[in-house]
Every structure is written in structure tokens, then in C-alpha cells.
């Protein structure tokens, strides 16, 4: 919430979504503050990018140790700002630290200069490719995983040699301020990481600040706004949308495992999980059994404020109304409730909702799934499941449960998504080396892995002449004899000369 008056700077106040209590107040920074932050970042970036990979690795691992030693502080702030149970908050912090560790240790291998092979026409040339920092990267964080998700940009951008200006979501400003402060404690004179605080106007100012790249995570509508703003200055954008993926359950699947993964993927973090499960397509012959297993597990879950609650509240208050609208539309179009329903929505909590036989054109399928709602639909066969997944167009991730492992890779290639997991669901997010990105609107860049490091780098290719070319064709002084010899070699290599 934003407040202020004449002659007073606006103030952003954040609240615990479980109790409504104030947990922090922060300045709403505008264009002037953003300009100064970017200027300071550019100065720090000169030192940071000029450091070797090994030096940056030492700094980042030192920062990692600070975060790890004081993780309980970050977990407490995360719980206050999101209402997450202790286990979910702790896991999020641990995953963020693992990504920081991986990025620091693997940047040199992924981005260091390496030699490339030359062909027979250019044997005298030595070619190499390397990756250099972009400069200053702006990161716009989400509310649902405010530590783990932005760390997938912050850690990789810093490991690649960039300075970062991080604008956390207004609902979770405290975690962003904490991360930047721990870096400042380590390197007080080098603002390689800064946090800027504020609301949407601050995010817009960062987009206009002419940084070298913007990394955004959040809803589709916000992504379009960010892309439009950045287009004015031709600033490139990497986007991670907040909608969830799908699951396919084949006739030979271990149904207990699939049901457990489906319910966790749909309900963890109150369904506010971009790596989660929105809908499941189940082979008709095992549909009833699978649905019964899902219903049994979902009914056992209890959201709440207790440390050991299954999950917490909706962090963004308005999201409860989005869930209500999607469920109402699904039921109006012929879907049916198996667990819960509209009565399950009791702000700020939403109890588990399982829907069945939901038409593919309903808002619950076509809209972003951000809530503890799971859709379970029948599918005639794998071809039908592929068609439905691709038709929905939410190209994030698909989980496939089957015992026929030998055919999974061929099957996976038919799915227009960025990640396919086999006999597991959300666990892929815990593999820092695994890059993930989507397709179509979800395909604006990558997070994690070597591709995540290169996302925040520019390519520099170098070719140098080592000695005079025996068959130099790159001159107007080439002789007929040299051309005949070159053509003869080409014909031997590639076929008859036409």
C-alpha cells in the first residue's frame, strides 16, 4: 500500500497477509533515485567485470556463506511477507542458495573463451568465442517466490560479470532489501547489487532507465507492460511468466506417485508456483482410480498460519477473485467439483479445489493458474494429451508419468514446452544446471544453467590469422590455378562441381 502527502515522499507499507499487521515501510523511489542507482551500478560494474572469473567466484561464494549462515533471518522475513509455512520458506531459501553456488562455480566454464575448429578453406585462421557482461541488469521480482525466482536472474547476471539493480515486488520488498544489504556488508564500496523499493511506478522507471537488460517474473499482463516500456529504449527483456504447467498420466503410470506429485504441484505455496501443475490429463482407463487418489490427498490438506500448515494464504489479495472467477466459469461450462468449490475461497486462504471434466475453453484452463486448484481431465490416448497440452499454449513445463521410459524422449519432443519431467513434477526447479524457459509467449529467454549465464552475456567472436593461407581465395589476386585446385578439393569433399 502506498501513502504520502504534499511535500512528503510516498511510502510503501507491506503487510503480513495472514494477520494484516504491518511488517515494513519503504520509500517509493522514482526516476531520480533510479538514475542514481543505475549510475552507481555502472561504476561498480567496471570493477566487477574487470575482475577474473575466479575473483568473482570468491566474492559470490563469500556472499553465499553469509546468506546461508543467516538463512533463519531471511526465512522469517519471507514468512512475514508471504505467510508461507516454515518448511516452504526454508526450501525456497535453500534453492536460491544452491543456484547462487552453481552460478558462481560454473561461470568460467560456461562463459570463458574457447577455441573453435576451422574448415579447410580457413585452416590458417584461429577462431574463438567468449562471453562478456552486458553491463547493468535490472531485475523485477515476483511476489510468489520472492527469493528463489529473482535469484535465478541475480546470481546468474552477477556471475556473468554484470551489476544488478533489483526491484522486488511491493508485497515482498523486505526480502529484496535484505539480500542487497548482505551484499553491501560484504562489499560496502562496490554496489554490484542494489535494491530499489517502490510500486509499479518504480518498476516502470527501472524499465526506462536504459539498463542493458531487464529480467521480469510475474503475470502475463505485467510482462506485456514491461516489454512495451522496454521497447521504447530497445532494452532486451527476459520473461518468466507465473502460470503453471500440465501433467500427463499414461495407463501404465504408478498412480500413487502421480497423484502425490499432482496435488503437491497444484497446492504447494497455495498454488502460487510457476513450476507447479495446473491441469492433469489422465488416460480414461485409470481416470477414476487416479481421481480418487487425488481427492483423498487434497482433502487432507489444511491451509493456515501455523508453522506446519500445508500451505499459506494468497499473497496477492486480488488473486482470490481470479480463482473465484476461474472456478465459477469452469462449473458454468460443465465442469464438476470433486474437492471443494466456490465455498473454499475464504480470503486470505483458499482450501484445496479439485475440478474434473473441465472444458478446454474455460478460463480455468486458458488463464494463468495461480491458486490451489487442480483440474483433472480424461484423455483418449497420448496423442490426445499432446494435442490438448499444445492447444492450451502454456508452454512452461509438462510432467509425464509412465513406466515406458524408453519412449519418453521421442514423446517429449512432440510437446511445445520448455521442460519435460518424467515421473516427477516440480523437482526440476531444484537442478541449477538445468536451464528452463518456455515456448511462444513463455519463450522470452532462459533461467538457470549455462543458458541462464549466457542470457546475461554478449558474445564476442575473435578470428586471427596465424600464417599465410596455402589456398587464399580472399583476395582479388587469386590465380586461375589456385581456383582450379580449390574447386578440385571442394569436389572431393562435397561432390561433383556443377
Amino acid at each position: 500500500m502506498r501513502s504520502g502527502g504534499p511535500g512528503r515522499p510516498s511510502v510503501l507499507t507491506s503487510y503480513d497477509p495472514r494477520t494484516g499487521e504491518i511488517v515494513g515501510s519503504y520509500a517509493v523511489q522514482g526516476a531520480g533515485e533510479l538514475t542514481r542507482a543505475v549510475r552507481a551500478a555502472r561504476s561498480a560494474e567496471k570493477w566487477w567485470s574487470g575482475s577474473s572469473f575466479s575473483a568473482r567466484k570468491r566474492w559470490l561464494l563469500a556472499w553465499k556463506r553469509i546468506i546461508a549462515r543467516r538463512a533463519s533471518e531471511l526465512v522469517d522475513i519471507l514468512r512475514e511477507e508471504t505467510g508461507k509455512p516454515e518448511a516452504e520458506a526454508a526450501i525456497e531459501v535453500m534453492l536460491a542458495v544452491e543456484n547462487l553456488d552453481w552460478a558462481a562455480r560454473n561461470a568460467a566454464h560456461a562463459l570463458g573463451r574457447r577455441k573453435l575448429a576451422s574448415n579447410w578453406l580457413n585452416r590458417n585462421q584461429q577462431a574463438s568465442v567468449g562471453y562478456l557482461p552486458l553491463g547493468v541488469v535490472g531485475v523485477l521480482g515476483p511476489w510468489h517466490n520472492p527469493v528463489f525466482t529473482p535469484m535465478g536472474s541475480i546470481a546468474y547476471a552477477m556471475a556473468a560479470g554484470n551489476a544488478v539493480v533489483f526491484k522486488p515486488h511491493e508485497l515482498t520488498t523486505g526480502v529484496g532489501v535484505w539480500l542487497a544489504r548482505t551484499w553491501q556488508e560484504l562489499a560496502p564500496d562496490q554496489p554490484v547489487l542494489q535494491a530499489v523499493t517502490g510500486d509499479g511506478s518504480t518498476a516502470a522507471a527501472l524499465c526506462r532507465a536504459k539498463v542493458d537488460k531487464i529480467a521480469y517474473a510475474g503475470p502475463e499482463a505485467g510482462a506485456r507492460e514491461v516489454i512495451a516500456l522496454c521497447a521504447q529504449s530497445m532494452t532486451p527483456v527476459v520473461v518468466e511468466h507465473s502460470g503453471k504447467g500440465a501433467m500427463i498420466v499414461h495407463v501404465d503410470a504408478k498412480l500413487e506417485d502421480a497423484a502425490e506429485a499432482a496435488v503437491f504441484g497444484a497446492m504447494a505455496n497455495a498454488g502460487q508456483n510457476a513450476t507447479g501443475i495446473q491441469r492433469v490429463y489422465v488416460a480414461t482407463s485409470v481416470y477414476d482410480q487416479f481421481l480418487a487418489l487425488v481427492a483423498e490427498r487434497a482433502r487432507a490438506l489444511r491451509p493456515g498460519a501455523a508453522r506446519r500448515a500445508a500451505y499459506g494464504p494468497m499473497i496477492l489479495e486480488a488473486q482470490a477473485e481470479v480463482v473465484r472467477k476461474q472456478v465459477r466459469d469452469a462449473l458454468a461450462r460443465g465442469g464438476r467439483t470433486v474437492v471443494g468449490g466456490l465455498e473454499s475461497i475464504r480470503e486470505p486462504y483458499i482450501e484445496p479445489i479439485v475440478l474434473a471434466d473441465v472444458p478446454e475453453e474455460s478460463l480455468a484452463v486458458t488463464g494463468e493458474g495461480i491458486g490451489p486448484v487442480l483440474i483433472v481431465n480424461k484423455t483418449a490416448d497420448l496423442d490426445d494429451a499432446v494435442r490438448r497440452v499444445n492447444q492450451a499454449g502454456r508452454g512452461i513445463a509438462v510432467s509425464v508419468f509412465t513406466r515406458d521410459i524408453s519412449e519418453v524422449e521421442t514423446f517429449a519432443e512432440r510437446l511445445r514446452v520448455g521442460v519435460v519431467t518424467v515421473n516427477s513434477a516440480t523437482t526440476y526447479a531444484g537442478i541449477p544446471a538445468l536451464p528452463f524457459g518456455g515456448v511462444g509467449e513463455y519463450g522470452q529467454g532462459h533461467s538457470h544453467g549455462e543458458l541462464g549465464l549466457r542470457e546475461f552475456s554478449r558474445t564476442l567472436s575473435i578470428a586471427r590469422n596465424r600464417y599465410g593461407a596455402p589456398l587464399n581465395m580472399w583476395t582479388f589476386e587469386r590465380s586461375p590455378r589456385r581456383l582450379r585446385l580449390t574447386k578440385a578439393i571442394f569436389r572431393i569433399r562435397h561432390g561433383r562441381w556443377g
Side-chain angles (χ1 to χ4, degrees), residues 179-214:
L179 288 171
R181 188 168 58 241
T182 53
W183 172 264
Q184 187 178 22
E185 292 172 7
L186 182 67
D189 299 323
Q190 299 294 348
V192 176
L193 173 64
Q194 300 172 78
V196 292
T197 61
D199 54 14
S201 65
T202 310
L206 181 56
C207 292
R208 297 190 186 100
K210 296 183 179 180
V211 295
D212 298 288
K213 195 163 199 173
I214 289 286

mmCIF file of all heavy atoms in Angstrom, residues 179-214:
data_model
loop_
_atom_site.group_PDB
_atom_site.id
_atom_site.type_symbol
_atom_site.label_atom_id
_atom_site.label_comp_id
_atom_site.label_asym_id
_atom_site.label_seq_id
_atom_site.Cartn_x
_atom_site.Cartn_y
_atom_site.Cartn_z
ATOM 1 N N LEU A 179 18.578 -9.045 0.899
ATOM 2 C CA LEU A 179 19.603 -9.603 0.014
ATOM 3 C C LEU A 179 20.626 -8.541 -0.367
ATOM 4 O O LEU A 179 21.839 -8.782 -0.341
ATOM 5 C CB LEU A 179 18.954 -10.192 -1.238
ATOM 6 C CG LEU A 179 18.176 -11.493 -1.054
ATOM 7 C CD1 LEU A 179 17.413 -11.831 -2.324
ATOM 8 C CD2 LEU A 179 19.109 -12.632 -0.679
ATOM 9 N N ALA A 180 20.156 -7.351 -0.737
ATOM 10 C CA ALA A 180 21.083 -6.291 -1.132
ATOM 11 C C ALA A 180 21.935 -5.844 0.045
ATOM 12 O O ALA A 180 23.125 -5.534 -0.108
ATOM 13 C CB ALA A 180 20.296 -5.111 -1.707
ATOM 14 N N ARG A 181 21.350 -5.809 1.252
ATOM 15 C CA ARG A 181 22.101 -5.376 2.427
ATOM 16 C C ARG A 181 23.219 -6.360 2.774
ATOM 17 O O ARG A 181 24.321 -5.950 3.165
ATOM 18 C CB ARG A 181 21.159 -5.207 3.612
ATOM 19 C CG ARG A 181 21.837 -4.572 4.823
ATOM 20 C CD ARG A 181 20.827 -4.144 5.872
ATOM 21 N NE ARG A 181 20.014 -5.250 6.340
ATOM 22 C CZ ARG A 181 18.691 -5.313 6.228
ATOM 23 N NH1 ARG A 181 18.032 -4.326 5.639
ATOM 24 N NH2 ARG A 181 18.020 -6.347 6.695
ATOM 25 N N THR A 182 22.968 -7.666 2.602
ATOM 26 C CA THR A 182 24.025 -8.637 2.896
ATOM 27 C C THR A 182 25.173 -8.503 1.914
ATOM 28 O O THR A 182 26.337 -8.701 2.270
ATOM 29 C CB THR A 182 23.483 -10.071 2.886
ATOM 30 O OG1 THR A 182 22.793 -10.322 1.640
ATOM 31 C CG2 THR A 182 22.530 -10.308 4.041
ATOM 32 N N TRP A 183 24.870 -8.167 0.655
ATOM 33 C CA TRP A 183 25.967 -7.913 -0.294
ATOM 34 C C TRP A 183 26.724 -6.647 0.124
ATOM 35 O O TRP A 183 27.963 -6.600 0.070
ATOM 36 C CB TRP A 183 25.460 -7.759 -1.723
ATOM 37 C CG TRP A 183 26.566 -7.320 -2.642
ATOM 38 C CD1 TRP A 183 26.858 -6.044 -3.039
ATOM 39 C CD2 TRP A 183 27.581 -8.147 -3.215
ATOM 40 N NE1 TRP A 183 27.977 -6.028 -3.838
ATOM 41 C CE2 TRP A 183 28.438 -7.306 -3.955
ATOM 42 C CE3 TRP A 183 27.835 -9.512 -3.177
ATOM 43 C CZ2 TRP A 183 29.552 -7.800 -4.661
ATOM 44 C CZ3 TRP A 183 28.938 -10.011 -3.870
ATOM 45 C CH2 TRP A 183 29.777 -9.151 -4.607
ATOM 46 N N GLN A 184 26.014 -5.624 0.535
ATOM 47 C CA GLN A 184 26.641 -4.375 0.937
ATOM 48 C C GLN A 184 27.561 -4.582 2.136
ATOM 49 O O GLN A 184 28.622 -3.950 2.236
ATOM 50 C CB GLN A 184 25.574 -3.338 1.272
ATOM 51 C CG GLN A 184 26.126 -1.944 1.546
ATOM 52 C CD GLN A 184 25.023 -0.950 1.834
ATOM 53 O OE1 GLN A 184 23.916 -1.314 2.230
ATOM 54 N NE2 GLN A 184 25.317 0.328 1.634
ATOM 55 N N GLU A 185 27.181 -5.466 3.051
ATOM 56 C CA GLU A 185 28.039 -5.772 4.184
ATOM 57 C C GLU A 185 29.349 -6.394 3.720
ATOM 58 O O GLU A 185 30.405 -6.185 4.326
ATOM 59 C CB GLU A 185 27.326 -6.728 5.136
ATOM 60 C CG GLU A 185 26.128 -6.106 5.848
ATOM 61 C CD GLU A 185 25.319 -7.130 6.625
ATOM 62 O OE1 GLU A 185 25.771 -8.296 6.719
ATOM 63 O OE2 GLU A 185 24.237 -6.787 7.131
ATOM 64 N N LEU A 186 29.285 -7.167 2.646
ATOM 65 C CA LEU A 186 30.476 -7.833 2.117
ATOM 66 C C LEU A 186 31.350 -6.864 1.332
ATOM 67 O O LEU A 186 32.580 -6.880 1.457
ATOM 68 C CB LEU A 186 30.039 -9.002 1.223
ATOM 69 C CG LEU A 186 31.143 -9.857 0.602
ATOM 70 C CD1 LEU A 186 31.877 -10.627 1.695
ATOM 71 C CD2 LEU A 186 30.530 -10.829 -0.416
ATOM 72 N N ALA A 187 30.734 -6.005 0.510
ATOM 73 C CA ALA A 187 31.479 -5.079 -0.356
ATOM 74 C C ALA A 187 30.831 -3.701 -0.269
ATOM 75 O O ALA A 187 30.132 -3.275 -1.194
ATOM 76 C CB ALA A 187 31.488 -5.595 -1.793
ATOM 77 N N PRO A 188 31.034 -2.977 0.833
ATOM 78 C CA PRO A 188 30.322 -1.715 1.054
ATOM 79 C C PRO A 188 30.617 -0.636 0.024
ATOM 80 O O PRO A 188 29.788 0.265 -0.175
ATOM 81 C CB PRO A 188 30.786 -1.294 2.453
ATOM 82 C CG PRO A 188 32.061 -2.040 2.689
ATOM 83 C CD PRO A 188 31.922 -3.323 1.953
ATOM 84 N N ASP A 189 31.753 -0.707 -0.616
ATOM 85 C CA ASP A 189 32.124 0.334 -1.582
ATOM 86 C C ASP A 189 31.849 -0.050 -3.026
ATOM 87 O O ASP A 189 32.183 0.711 -3.941
ATOM 88 C CB ASP A 189 33.622 0.673 -1.428
ATOM 89 C CG ASP A 189 33.953 1.199 -0.044
ATOM 90 O OD1 ASP A 189 33.113 1.934 0.510
ATOM 91 O OD2 ASP A 189 35.035 0.850 0.480
ATOM 92 N N GLN A 190 31.266 -1.228 -3.246
ATOM 93 C CA GLN A 190 31.021 -1.717 -4.602
ATOM 94 C C GLN A 190 29.575 -2.187 -4.720
ATOM 95 O O GLN A 190 29.271 -3.349 -4.469
ATOM 96 C CB GLN A 190 31.990 -2.861 -4.955
ATOM 97 C CG GLN A 190 33.457 -2.475 -4.937
ATOM 98 C CD GLN A 190 33.814 -1.470 -6.018
ATOM 99 O OE1 GLN A 190 33.033 -1.199 -6.930
ATOM 100 N NE2 GLN A 190 35.016 -0.910 -5.939
ATOM 101 N N PRO A 191 28.655 -1.285 -5.106
ATOM 102 C CA PRO A 191 27.225 -1.647 -5.195
ATOM 103 C C PRO A 191 26.908 -2.481 -6.439
ATOM 104 O O PRO A 191 26.156 -2.070 -7.319
ATOM 105 C CB PRO A 191 26.534 -0.278 -5.237
ATOM 106 C CG PRO A 191 27.537 0.624 -5.874
ATOM 107 C CD PRO A 191 28.876 0.143 -5.390
ATOM 108 N N VAL A 192 27.510 -3.676 -6.470
ATOM 109 C CA VAL A 192 27.252 -4.584 -7.594
ATOM 110 C C VAL A 192 25.799 -5.066 -7.555
ATOM 111 O O VAL A 192 25.198 -5.348 -8.582
ATOM 112 C CB VAL A 192 28.233 -5.772 -7.554
ATOM 113 C CG1 VAL A 192 27.917 -6.783 -8.651
ATOM 114 C CG2 VAL A 192 29.660 -5.259 -7.700
ATOM 115 N N LEU A 193 25.234 -5.148 -6.341
ATOM 116 C CA LEU A 193 23.819 -5.462 -6.182
ATOM 117 C C LEU A 193 23.168 -4.375 -5.347
ATOM 118 O O LEU A 193 23.627 -4.084 -4.235
ATOM 119 C CB LEU A 193 23.628 -6.820 -5.498
ATOM 120 C CG LEU A 193 22.188 -7.180 -5.113
ATOM 121 C CD1 LEU A 193 21.304 -7.312 -6.356
ATOM 122 C CD2 LEU A 193 22.146 -8.460 -4.289
ATOM 123 N N GLN A 194 22.123 -3.764 -5.881
ATOM 124 C CA GLN A 194 21.344 -2.776 -5.156
ATOM 125 C C GLN A 194 19.866 -3.154 -5.230
ATOM 126 O O GLN A 194 19.418 -3.715 -6.231
ATOM 127 C CB GLN A 194 21.499 -1.390 -5.771
ATOM 128 C CG GLN A 194 22.912 -0.848 -5.811
ATOM 129 C CD GLN A 194 22.968 0.438 -6.606
ATOM 130 O OE1 GLN A 194 22.594 1.507 -6.130
ATOM 131 N NE2 GLN A 194 23.432 0.337 -7.840
ATOM 132 N N ALA A 195 19.137 -2.825 -4.185
ATOM 133 C CA ALA A 195 17.682 -2.979 -4.196
ATOM 134 C C ALA A 195 17.046 -1.601 -4.246
ATOM 135 O O ALA A 195 17.434 -0.708 -3.496
ATOM 136 C CB ALA A 195 17.210 -3.738 -2.963
ATOM 137 N N VAL A 196 16.103 -1.420 -5.148
ATOM 138 C CA VAL A 196 15.311 -0.194 -5.201
ATOM 139 C C VAL A 196 13.892 -0.566 -4.792
ATOM 140 O O VAL A 196 13.382 -1.625 -5.154
ATOM 141 C CB VAL A 196 15.342 0.455 -6.604
ATOM 142 C CG1 VAL A 196 16.726 0.975 -6.914
ATOM 143 C CG2 VAL A 196 14.887 -0.519 -7.689
ATOM 144 N N THR A 197 13.276 0.290 -4.023
ATOM 145 C CA THR A 197 11.972 -0.038 -3.437
ATOM 146 C C THR A 197 10.884 0.835 -4.027
ATOM 147 O O THR A 197 11.118 1.968 -4.430
ATOM 148 C CB THR A 197 12.007 0.138 -1.913
ATOM 149 O OG1 THR A 197 12.301 1.511 -1.598
ATOM 150 C CG2 THR A 197 13.067 -0.747 -1.282
ATOM 151 N N GLY A 198 9.680 0.274 -4.062
ATOM 152 C CA GLY A 198 8.559 1.035 -4.580
ATOM 153 C C GLY A 198 7.502 0.146 -5.189
ATOM 154 O O GLY A 198 7.478 -1.068 -4.987
ATOM 155 N N ASP A 199 6.620 0.784 -5.967
ATOM 156 C CA ASP A 199 5.497 0.084 -6.575
ATOM 157 C C ASP A 199 5.677 -0.014 -8.085
ATOM 158 O O ASP A 199 6.803 -0.002 -8.588
ATOM 159 C CB ASP A 199 4.189 0.781 -6.209
ATOM 160 C CG ASP A 199 4.213 2.271 -6.568
ATOM 161 O OD1 ASP A 199 5.109 2.691 -7.331
ATOM 162 O OD2 ASP A 199 3.325 3.009 -6.097
ATOM 163 N N GLY A 200 4.562 -0.094 -8.803
ATOM 164 C CA GLY A 200 4.637 -0.213 -10.254
ATOM 165 C C GLY A 200 5.321 0.955 -10.930
ATOM 166 O O GLY A 200 5.971 0.791 -11.975
ATOM 167 N N SER A 201 5.191 2.144 -10.346
ATOM 168 C CA SER A 201 5.848 3.306 -10.941
ATOM 169 C C SER A 201 7.368 3.174 -10.866
ATOM 170 O O SER A 201 8.089 3.624 -11.764
ATOM 171 C CB SER A 201 5.387 4.587 -10.238
ATOM 172 O OG SER A 201 5.810 4.614 -8.883
ATOM 173 N N THR A 202 7.859 2.554 -9.800
ATOM 174 C CA THR A 202 9.302 2.319 -9.666
ATOM 175 C C THR A 202 9.770 1.290 -10.693
ATOM 176 O O THR A 202 10.840 1.444 -11.300
ATOM 177 C CB THR A 202 9.629 1.841 -8.245
ATOM 178 O OG1 THR A 202 9.026 2.713 -7.299
ATOM 179 C CG2 THR A 202 11.122 1.808 -8.017
ATOM 180 N N ALA A 203 8.977 0.245 -10.880
ATOM 181 C CA ALA A 203 9.316 -0.754 -11.892
ATOM 182 C C ALA A 203 9.360 -0.121 -13.277
ATOM 183 O O ALA A 203 10.258 -0.405 -14.084
ATOM 184 C CB ALA A 203 8.297 -1.898 -11.864
ATOM 185 N N ALA A 204 8.394 0.761 -13.563
ATOM 186 C CA ALA A 204 8.382 1.442 -14.858
ATOM 187 C C ALA A 204 9.607 2.323 -15.017
ATOM 188 O O ALA A 204 10.206 2.398 -16.105
ATOM 189 C CB ALA A 204 7.103 2.267 -14.998
ATOM 190 N N ALA A 205 10.003 3.005 -13.940
ATOM 191 C CA ALA A 205 11.188 3.850 -14.001
ATOM 192 C C ALA A 205 12.438 3.026 -14.286
ATOM 193 O O ALA A 205 13.334 3.461 -15.033
ATOM 194 C CB ALA A 205 11.347 4.626 -12.695
ATOM 195 N N LEU A 206 12.518 1.812 -13.711
ATOM 196 C CA LEU A 206 13.663 0.942 -13.982
ATOM 197 C C LEU A 206 13.677 0.512 -15.448
ATOM 198 O O LEU A 206 14.737 0.440 -16.072
ATOM 199 C CB LEU A 206 13.629 -0.275 -13.058
ATOM 200 C CG LEU A 206 14.783 -1.277 -13.198
ATOM 201 C CD1 LEU A 206 16.133 -0.596 -13.014
ATOM 202 C CD2 LEU A 206 14.627 -2.412 -12.181
ATOM 203 N N CYS A 207 12.496 0.235 -15.995
ATOM 204 C CA CYS A 207 12.419 -0.137 -17.414
ATOM 205 C C CYS A 207 12.877 1.014 -18.324
ATOM 206 O O CYS A 207 13.398 0.780 -19.413
ATOM 207 C CB CYS A 207 10.991 -0.541 -17.783
ATOM 208 S SG CYS A 207 10.428 -2.079 -17.027
ATOM 209 N N ARG A 208 12.656 2.247 -17.875
ATOM 210 C CA ARG A 208 13.040 3.414 -18.684
ATOM 211 C C ARG A 208 14.468 3.873 -18.412
ATOM 212 O O ARG A 208 14.941 4.826 -19.033
ATOM 213 C CB ARG A 208 12.080 4.568 -18.391
ATOM 214 C CG ARG A 208 10.628 4.323 -18.767
ATOM 215 C CD ARG A 208 9.832 5.605 -18.662
ATOM 216 N NE ARG A 208 8.410 5.380 -18.883
ATOM 217 C CZ ARG A 208 7.506 5.274 -17.897
ATOM 218 N NH1 ARG A 208 7.901 5.380 -16.622
ATOM 219 N NH2 ARG A 208 6.236 5.062 -18.173
ATOM 220 N N ALA A 209 15.142 3.242 -17.456
ATOM 221 C CA ALA A 209 16.443 3.728 -17.000
ATOM 222 C C ALA A 209 17.598 3.368 -17.935
ATOM 223 O O ALA A 209 18.753 3.640 -17.618
ATOM 224 C CB ALA A 209 16.730 3.191 -15.601
ATOM 225 N N LYS A 210 17.297 2.726 -19.052
ATOM 226 C CA LYS A 210 18.298 2.371 -20.063
ATOM 227 C C LYS A 210 19.386 1.455 -19.501
ATOM 228 O O LYS A 210 20.577 1.649 -19.753
ATOM 229 C CB LYS A 210 18.908 3.623 -20.683
ATOM 230 C CG LYS A 210 17.903 4.466 -21.465
ATOM 231 C CD LYS A 210 18.554 5.661 -22.140
ATOM 232 C CE LYS A 210 17.528 6.460 -22.932
ATOM 233 N NZ LYS A 210 18.126 7.641 -23.599
ATOM 234 N N VAL A 211 18.939 0.461 -18.721
ATOM 235 C CA VAL A 211 19.862 -0.598 -18.335
ATOM 236 C C VAL A 211 20.079 -1.494 -19.555
ATOM 237 O O VAL A 211 19.475 -1.305 -20.609
ATOM 238 C CB VAL A 211 19.314 -1.399 -17.143
ATOM 239 C CG1 VAL A 211 19.212 -0.527 -15.912
ATOM 240 C CG2 VAL A 211 17.959 -2.026 -17.464
ATOM 241 N N ASP A 212 20.951 -2.476 -19.420
ATOM 242 C CA ASP A 212 21.309 -3.292 -20.580
ATOM 243 C C ASP A 212 20.400 -4.489 -20.789
ATOM 244 O O ASP A 212 20.381 -5.074 -21.872
ATOM 245 C CB ASP A 212 22.773 -3.735 -20.440
ATOM 246 C CG ASP A 212 23.700 -2.539 -20.427
ATOM 247 O OD1 ASP A 212 23.890 -1.915 -21.483
ATOM 248 O OD2 ASP A 212 24.212 -2.204 -19.340
ATOM 249 N N LYS A 213 19.656 -4.864 -19.761
ATOM 250 C CA LYS A 213 18.655 -5.922 -19.904
ATOM 251 C C LYS A 213 17.742 -5.885 -18.688
ATOM 252 O O LYS A 213 18.175 -5.504 -17.592
ATOM 253 C CB LYS A 213 19.302 -7.309 -20.026
ATOM 254 C CG LYS A 213 18.355 -8.391 -20.538
ATOM 255 C CD LYS A 213 19.121 -9.613 -21.022
ATOM 256 C CE LYS A 213 18.260 -10.473 -21.933
ATOM 257 N NZ LYS A 213 19.025 -11.565 -22.549
ATOM 258 N N ILE A 214 16.494 -6.277 -18.895
ATOM 259 C CA ILE A 214 15.530 -6.398 -17.803
ATOM 260 C C ILE A 214 15.113 -7.856 -17.697
ATOM 261 O O ILE A 214 14.799 -8.499 -18.705
ATOM 262 C CB ILE A 214 14.282 -5.526 -18.052
ATOM 263 C CG1 ILE A 214 14.610 -4.041 -17.910
ATOM 264 C CG2 ILE A 214 13.150 -5.905 -17.105
ATOM 265 C CD1 ILE A 214 14.817 -3.564 -16.484
#
